[in-house]
Amino acid sequence: MTWLITGGAGYIGAHVARAMQAAGERVVVIDDLSSGLAERLPDGVELVRGSVLDRGLMDATLTGHGVSGVVHLAGRKQVGESVEQPLSYYRDNVHGLTVVLEAAVAAGVRRFLFSSSAAVYGVPDAELITESTPCAPINPYGETKLAGEWLVRAAGRAHGLSTACLRYFNVAGAAAPELADIGVYNVIPMFFDRLTHGDEPRIFGADYPTPDGTCVRDYIHVADLADAHLAVAAKLAADDVPGDLTLNVGRGAGVSVRELADLVASVTGLPMSPVVEERRPGDAAKAVASDELIARELGWKATRGVREMVESAWDGWCLRHPGARGK
Ligand SMILES: NC(=O)c1ccc[n+]([C@@H]2O[C@H](COP(=O)([O-])OP(=O)(O)OC[C@H]3O[C@@H](n4cnc5c(N)ncnc54)[C@H](O)[C@@H]3O)[C@@H](O)[C@H]2O)c1
């Protein structure tokens, strides 16, 4: 079948596009390249350059390519920016999704997979976050993802789509250096950025109720995440009965910021003594996924560890920042 991947030139989307193509699926991508890179796409995957907000372009892309499944990743993802620009976040993430769903329904698409986020949970007080942990997002970004899930499930029920909402935890690493994350908003690239500019990495808060006092998170290798998409796509394609899935995608294992900093020092070989600063508002002490439901529903489990994430992210960083290695 043919899958349309919105935001397929992005960090995660390009991994999903490659994995789907390697699994023998036909793939087309729509991306406005606002934060994506066309060169991430492999030969054989056509890029339609434009916005998902453009209904005419969406219709033409879906019908022109005979698309029968959509993976919707296009959107904006910076929490701080979403606080400053809530209107544009709601427009791109919620209205954009509405346009994609309307076009998908009109084109007779039957399978729909949506990129949600652990941000829907807000600051949960749970040892392991399950899919039934209450959702209480604390910023506009998380709100747009939760509203997106509601839209996807409601449209699925009303229009007979099989849908899946995947709540990604902290995505890291790269399957190949040229596919690496180019932003410096996540903790691993943030550490690399400070180290290669001669600044000490910062740790926000070391007095949390965690074993070493720093925040604990669940990091998932982007190649594992892409494999999870394949498993979900297969499930949606196999099931004739419309239905919806909402699944965490994490490793079910926590890593503290301090442990991550030690790993970054070990992988890069760069001397590092992180500076401890004040806690940031809105940071949960611990956010670790339960990965039981996805294992039960799909037989899927992450296989790659955190060192592999840091090593592959570092290879990607060094490709874009020649001279970073051996500083
Ligand atoms: N990276 C993470 O840790 C993480 C965690 C949870 C959820 N997510 C979600 O996963 C999705 C992909 O994230 P990513 O890390 O690959 O980000 P990214 O910025 O690398 O990718 C987003 C892609 O969407 C494209 N895009 C944005 N607005 C568009 C529009 N209106 N029309 C067409 N294309 C548009 C961008 O050009 C980019 O290629 C996002 O929805 C994000 O919220 C990411």
Side-chain angles (χ1 to χ4, degrees), residues 42 54 104 156 201 206 212 282 284 286:
D54 181 341
D212 66 18
K286 185 172 181 193

Side-chain angles (χ1 to χ4, degrees), residues 38-262:
E39 60 267 29
R40 282 190 176 130
L41 292 175
D43 289 345
V45 171
E46 186 185 330
L47 169 66
V48 176
R49 187 171 175 178
S51 175
V52 297
L53 291 157
D54 181 341
R55 174 67 196 271
L57 186 63
M58 281 300 304
D59 288 342
T61 305
L62 289 165
T63 49
H65 290 83
V67 170
S68 47
V70 170
V71 184
H72 180 58
L73 295 113
R76 299 171 66 187
K77 61 166 183 179
Q78 288 175 48
V79 168
E81 193 180 62
S82 80
V83 175
E84 287 155 19
Q85 304 170 27
L87 298 177
S88 61
Y89 267 70
Y90 270 84
R91 182 198 59 216
D92 290 349
N93 290 3
V94 181
H95 179 57
L97 171 60
T98 312
V99 176
V100 175
L101 280 166
E102 281 174 346
V105 168
V109 167
R110 304 301 300 269
R111 275 106 200 168
F112 199 94
L113 202 160
F114 172 60
S115 294
S116 186
S117 164
V120 298
Y121 295 113
V123 191
D125 182 18
E127 200 45 37
L128 280 181
I129 300 173
T130 71
E131 290 76 358
S132 49
T133 297
C135 290
I138 56 159
N139 49 59
Y141 170 68
E143 290 163 9
T144 64
K145 289 295 178 186
L146 186 55
E149 290 191 5
W150 293 336
L151 264 171
V152 168
R153 288 194 281 268
R157 283 181 205 124
H159 301 289
L161 297 168
S162 294
T163 66
C165 297
L166 297 187
R167 295 174 175 166
Y168 311 160
F169 278 64
N170 294 66
V171 188
E178 65 277 13
L179 297 183
D181 193 2
I182 56 171
V184 288
Y185 311 106
N186 293 335
V187 61
I188 295 173
M190 214 185 274
F191 278 167
F192 294 159
D193 189 42
R194 305 241 346 148
L195 279 176
T196 50
H197 288 96
D199 299 322
E200 284 304 347
R202 294 178 296 177
I203 290 180
F204 298 100
D207 56 351
Y208 285 97
T210 57
D212 66 18
T214 66
C215 290
V216 170
R217 294 288 178 270
D218 189 340
Y219 296 91
I220 169 92
H221 196 299
V222 66
D224 276 331
L225 180 61
D227 289 344
H229 285 72
L230 283 184
V232 175
K235 170 97 174 162
L236 295 183
D239 278 351
D240 289 334
V241 187
D244 54 62
L245 285 172
T246 301
L247 300 170
N248 287 340
V249 194
R251 286 189 318 131
V255 175
S256 77
V257 177
R258 181 81 70 189
E259 288 171 321
L260 200 61
D262 290 346

